[in-house]
Amino acid sequence: MRHALLAGLAATMLGACSAQARPADDDVAEAPARAVVETIAPGTLATRIAAGEPIQLIDVRTPEEFAQGHLAGAINIPLGEFDPEALPDPRGSERILYCRSDRRSGIAAERLAAASGMAALHLDGGILAWEASDFPVERD
């Protein structure tokens, strides 16, 4: 009885789905493209920095965490103060965000992507992955 009831419910739902009229492709308004959030591996970032590529590093951790160790040249804008509209001009540099593990930088990257309509990039695994790869950090 239970199987028959479930089978009947499933058939009804499938029939309702397929019975819905679908507009022709020409009638469908294109949804705005959603800006994506991407990650960059520590090794790739290190290679790009070593090659002298123009990169604006933004550390979204607290000032205390930043003082304990950060990537050379990074600026500190804690997540709680992160406003994509108020970021310093990257002057042709690509922005790359990072934090401790990549959770906070992922949130900041989502905000940046939504505000800019462009892809936003953050460090995969954060500074923990950077240090685990034996890349240098500066300490205040």
Side-chain angles (χ1 to χ4, degrees), residues 2-24:
R2 177 185 265 170
H3 291 288
L5 182 59
L6 287 175
L9 181 59
T12 302
M13 291 176 70
L14 285 173
C17 289
S18 63
Q20 292 179 350
R22 294 189 178 187

Side-chain angles (χ1 to χ4, degrees), residues 105-126:
S105 61
I107 293 168
E110 287 174 0
R111 291 181 190 171
L112 179 58
S116 69
M118 297 170 50
L121 193 57
H122 72 113
L123 181 59
D124 189 24

Side-chain angles (χ1 to χ4, degrees), residues 35-140:
V36 296
V37 172
E38 299 173 351
T39 60
I40 184 169
T44 303
L45 178 56
T47 299
R48 292 181 60 190
I49 290 170
E53 290 187 30
I55 296 172
Q56 182 186 62
L57 294 167
I58 300 176
D59 186 322
V60 298
R61 298 175 300 152
T62 65
E64 295 79 19
E65 290 173 299
F66 184 81
Q68 291 173 0
H70 54 271
L71 278 63
I75 56 176
N76 184 219
I77 304 173
L79 182 60
E81 300 169 18
F82 189 85
D83 177 1
E85 303 295 328
L87 293 176
D89 183 353
R91 300 178 188 231
S93 297
E94 182 173 23
R95 283 187 176 122
I96 299 179
L97 311 170
Y98 74 93
C99 64
R100 180 177 174 272
S101 64
D102 83 13
R103 186 185 64 78
R104 287 176 281 180
S105 61
I107 293 168
E110 287 174 0
R111 291 181 190 171
L112 179 58
S116 69
M118 297 170 50
L121 193 57
H122 72 113
L123 181 59
D124 189 24
I127 199 165
L128 291 176
W130 179 265
E131 290 181 304
S133 298
D134 291 324
F135 296 124
V137 295
E138 291 186 348
R139 302 193 194 296
D140 291 344

